[in-house]
Amino acid sequence: MTAPATGQAALRSATAVLSFDPAAFACARLAAELADEWVDLVQAGRLRETAGRSYLTAMKDFLTHVDATVSGSGSASLARSSPDLHHAVTEWIRILPSRHAPGSRTPGWHAGRVRALIARRAEHPDRPVAGHLYGWIAGALGVRRGGSTELDEFSRADKQKLVRAAQAARRATETRIRAGRALAATGTDPEAGGWTQPENVLWAIAHNVRSCNEIVSLLPDPSGMPPQQDSAMGRFLRDRRDVLRHLVGQLFLTNMDLHAYKILLMAATGRAPEEITGLTEDDIEFSPHGVTITFGKNRAHARMRQAFFSEPAEAGLLHPSGTRLDAAEIIRSLLELNRPLAERMGISPVPLFLRASLAGVSLSVGLSTRHKGQRFSDWLAINNVTVDGAADIRRLRKSTKVEKAITFCGRISDIADDHSAQTFRGHYAHGTTLRLIAGDVVTAAQRHWLDKALAGPTVLDEQATQSLTDPQAAAALGLSPADVEALRAGHLDMGVTDCTDPFASPFGRPGQLCPVAPLRCLECRNAFVLPSNLPQLLLFADHLDKLALRLSPQHFHALWGQSRANLIEVLKSRTSAEIARARRQIAEDAITLHLPLASTVEFDA
């Protein structure tokens, strides 16, 4: 390999864990060239552990293909045109999808990562790339990106079951660890007090006086003891290693314990699992009113701060109703439990999700990862929790998104407040969320047209008009005493109806005198129809009857259909005697319809 010495050291330290050795391949030179680029990415801090593993997996797959299919693979190199690696990489990409499930994203990921390494080498002035590989780097990848079946959210009932079970598991965990640490405080050096007493063994583990390799050989054989069950793991202690693992769990958090805290923090913050498990004490800022958390999302290369406020318990209330999810209180508890282990192992800052485990019989610590028998589905089984659908904790995040969709009535700008709208559409806008948004769109459209159809004047009879002297009755109609006086004095008469505010017309700009009065007054929510308006209403009805004869039915309905429908309903509310009196008043006083001259322009043609 041509990497510098520091790169070689980084590669050796990484590959010691990740099991990658360029010399294991016949195309060792090509393997070393790709590994050089991987080392540079590691040194630049561009790859985290999970991404580093995925890059090496893709490299191994491609190198295995080169060994199996390329003649003279021992001389294969990115800097040489023979053998032709362009043909090798395109053929590898062609057959990649056949080795994975239909629609899998893995072929696209593998091809993209190998191309990223080759493209990085092509940009380096001292690391040439020969042949036709430049065309592949600049062109299409050659394999579809694939897709995934999106998970739907937990139902509200399942989410409540998860939270209740997590709270119970958390209480049991904290009781167990506090009892174990208290018991360890009463112990003494097992060399003097004996290795058969649990408190002495706990004391030895807590004070790190002996390695776990030594302790396990000094423990009594559990076969001669009554059967004991590890409640955290749901299994019986079979040998000395099980006993030691059980005792370590009396002092420190285990993988199974962390599931409950992950559920509670996800439910309290609404954040994704990766954002929760990556938190350390440096990301936490406590305040008298709660906590501010800086979340990091590796895939989006984003960091976001969000404050969560604690709800003070009601004074004197020993058993508050409902479930309280206090992010600050949960985080304080995690830090308290993990700080002794972090200080013992020299880990700083203290991670929230830290666990102790036995690798063989040696004590090791690290962030919670997925281990056989310790997955989320195993936690559900141990805690007797059954859920509909897949046992995947990511569905808890989807539940939060559905709750936001309900709260914000489907407004994507508000729901996608911690990622882009495009991410929301791709990962969350499906299933229940999609149905909510679609239903809200339909309901909003229906509400719009219904409001438009029902928008019209407020009709008052003689008795209702007299009741306006009562301030409460006037206020129920949205009228102030000044409005009532103006209505009585005729100051708000717009011709066909009266108007509460001619300068706040829904047909004009704010502050502009209504531009459509009185032609559209019967379609306006600001209009009030008083008994004194009846003569003008009758004349307007006659006017509309004449218009109906002059215009085509379609044209008349488009212009005057709603006004005529509202007018008919208003006239139906008047008695025959009232209408007869209004007709006599028209004839005796020679009343004419008050319409603007411009209203006749449409008939001049």
Side-chain angles (χ1 to χ4, degrees):
M1 290 168 52
T2 60
T6 54
Q8 294 280 6
L11 180 63
R12 282 195 299 270
S13 63
T15 53
V17 177
L18 301 177
S19 302
F20 179 77
D21 181 10
F25 299 93
C27 54
R29 182 181 179 88
L30 174 62
E33 290 171 345
L34 294 176
D36 284 341
E37 307 307 323
W38 179 81
V39 169
D40 285 350
L41 288 174
V42 171
Q43 289 179 320
R46 298 285 300 277
L47 294 181
R48 296 180 181 271
E49 181 179 354
T50 303
R53 290 177 183 273
S54 62
Y55 268 80
L56 289 180
T57 301
M59 288 165 54
K60 288 180 181 179
D61 195 298
F62 173 58
L63 294 171
T64 301
H65 170 79
V66 171
D67 280 352
T69 62
V70 175
S71 177
S73 59
S75 61
S77 169
L78 294 173
R80 297 178 179 176
S81 56
S82 179
D84 186 3
L85 292 181
H86 178 263
H87 175 74
V89 74
T90 53
E91 182 65 16
W92 171 65
I93 289 174
R94 186 185 67 81
I95 64 175
L96 260 179
S98 65
R99 294 192 276 114
H100 298 276
S104 172
R105 293 186 175 185
T106 303
W109 285 339
H110 282 358
R113 282 157 185 159
V114 170
R115 183 164 75 165
L117 293 175
I118 297 175
R120 183 180 178 85
R121 189 171 188 86
E123 294 174 357
H124 198 288
D126 299 326
R127 299 175 183 177
V129 171
H132 300 86
L133 287 172
Y134 283 101
W136 175 64
I137 293 172
L141 184 61
V143 64
R144 292 183 180 274
R145 292 293 182 182
S148 61
T149 303
E150 292 293 341
L151 296 167
D152 213 345
E153 78 285 350
F154 285 118
S155 67
R156 291 186 64 83
D158 282 350
K159 181 178 178 180
Q160 290 173 352
K161 287 194 295 184
L162 285 172
V163 171
R164 285 196 296 267
Q167 288 177 318
R170 177 195 167 189
R171 288 193 294 269
T173 296
E174 294 177 2
T175 300
R176 182 193 82 223
I177 292 179
R178 290 191 178 108
R181 291 177 181 178
L183 184 60
T186 65
T188 186
D189 191 338
E191 294 296 337
W195 289 95
T196 59
Q197 302 301 315
E199 62 269 22
N200 295 338
V201 182
L202 290 172
W203 182 93
I205 297 172
H207 290 79
N208 199 23
V209 295
R210 286 178 178 269
S211 69
C212 290
N213 284 313
E214 296 174 306
I215 292 175
V216 75
S217 63
L218 298 171
L219 290 176
D221 191 345
S223 61
M225 302 170 58
Q228 298 184 50
Q229 187 175 20
D230 185 348
S231 58
M233 297 299 297
R235 66 187 183 190
F236 287 95
L237 307 180
R238 299 185 301 270
D239 52 29
R240 290 189 178 95
R241 284 182 298 177
D242 275 353
V243 172
L244 181 59
R245 187 177 290 108
H246 171 74
L247 293 174
V248 168
Q250 304 305 301
L251 299 175
F252 308 114
L253 291 173
T254 66
N255 264 343
M256 294 299 285
D257 297 329
L258 292 177
H259 286 297
Y261 289 93
K262 188 187 297 185
I263 291 170
L264 294 176
L265 271 183
M266 286 184 66
T269 63
R271 292 287 174 164
E274 67 173 281
E275 295 178 280
I276 295 296
T277 56
L279 292 173
T280 69
E281 63 178 341
D282 283 357
D283 301 317
I284 308 300
E285 182 180 338
F286 292 105
S287 70
H289 306 292
V291 64
T292 300
I293 307 175
T294 303
F295 295 99
K297 186 171 287 186
N298 297 334
R299 290 174 297 172
H301 303 288
R303 293 183 66 80
M304 293 160 282
R305 286 170 61 84
Q306 187 173 358
F308 299 92
F309 296 98
S310 301
E311 297 181 5
E314 298 180 32
L317 189 61
L318 297 179
H319 302 284
S321 59
T323 300
R324 294 182 68 250
L325 291 173
D326 189 335
E329 190 266 336
I330 297 170
I331 290 172
R332 282 194 180 96
S333 178
L334 273 172
L335 289 175
E336 175 190 348
L337 294 172
N338 280 327
R339 195 173 300 280
L341 182 60
E343 291 176 350
R344 168 176 172 170
M345 306 302 292
I347 299 175
S348 181
V350 179
L352 263 61
F353 286 80
L354 188 65
R355 56 97 173 100
S357 65
L358 290 175
V361 289
S362 299
L363 183 64
S364 65
V365 298
L367 296 178
S368 174
T369 54
R370 297 179 62 181
H371 293 282
K372 185 177 181 180
Q374 301 177 28
R375 299 184 178 93
F376 179 61
S377 57
D378 301 309
W379 183 89
L380 294 177
I382 291 173
N383 289 275
N384 298 316
V385 178
T386 57
V387 296
D388 292 331
D392 194 316
I393 199 169
R394 292 176 298 171
R395 296 176 64 198
L396 203 57
R397 163 76 163 168
K398 301 294 179 76
S399 297
T400 300
K401 285 297 180 182
V402 172
E403 291 166 1
K404 281 187 177 181
I406 296 172
T407 302
F408 294 111
C409 301
R411 294 193 303 272
I412 294 178
S413 59
D414 293 314
I415 305 171
D417 57 349
D418 55 352
H419 48 65
S420 66
Q422 182 180 2
T423 299
F424 172 80
R425 293 188 181 96
H427 294 280
Y428 301 104
H430 66 280
T432 304
T433 306
L434 180 60
R435 291 193 292 272
L436 284 169
I437 296 174
D440 188 72
V441 170
V442 173
T443 303
Q446 291 175 334
R447 187 184 303 113
H448 169 76
W449 290 107
L450 184 62
D451 291 344
K452 187 172 182 180
L454 297 179
T458 301
V459 182
L460 301 179
D461 56 18
E462 192 66 41
Q463 183 179 358
T465 304
Q466 296 300 326
S467 68
L468 292 179
T469 55
D470 182 0
Q472 291 185 348
L477 294 172
L479 298 175
S480 65
D483 294 333
V484 173
E485 187 58 33
L487 284 173
R488 286 185 174 279
H491 296 161
L492 299 178
D493 188 355
M494 300 297 289
V496 177
T497 68
D498 283 56
C499 182
T500 56
D501 192 351
F503 293 94
S505 169
F507 300 100
R509 296 187 301 272
Q512 177 191 21
L513 182 65
C514 182
V516 296
L519 300 177
R520 292 290 180 263
C521 287
L522 286 165
E523 300 177 31
C524 181
R525 58 180 177 270
N526 292 342
F528 272 77
V529 177
L530 305 178
S532 59
N533 297 128
L534 186 54
Q536 286 293 319
L537 291 173
L538 291 172
L539 292 173
F540 190 59
D542 296 338
H543 176 69
L544 292 184
D545 289 341
K546 294 176 183 178
L547 291 182
L549 298 175
R550 295 185 182 185
L551 302 176
S552 67
Q554 296 85 352
H555 192 192
F556 177 81
H557 180 76
L559 294 176
W560 303 103
Q562 189 63 56
S563 291
R564 192 182 203 187
N566 292 353
L567 177 57
I568 291 172
E569 292 300 318
V570 170
L571 294 178
K572 283 181 180 179
S573 67
R574 301 307 186 193
T575 64
S576 300
E578 289 176 322
I579 293 176
R581 283 197 302 270
R583 289 291 184 187
R584 285 196 301 270
Q585 183 182 357
I586 293 171
E588 293 172 359
D589 298 340
I591 298 174
T592 59
L593 181 61
H594 299 160
L595 290 181
L597 183 62
S599 63
T600 62
V601 171
E602 61 180 320
F603 312 119
D604 290 346

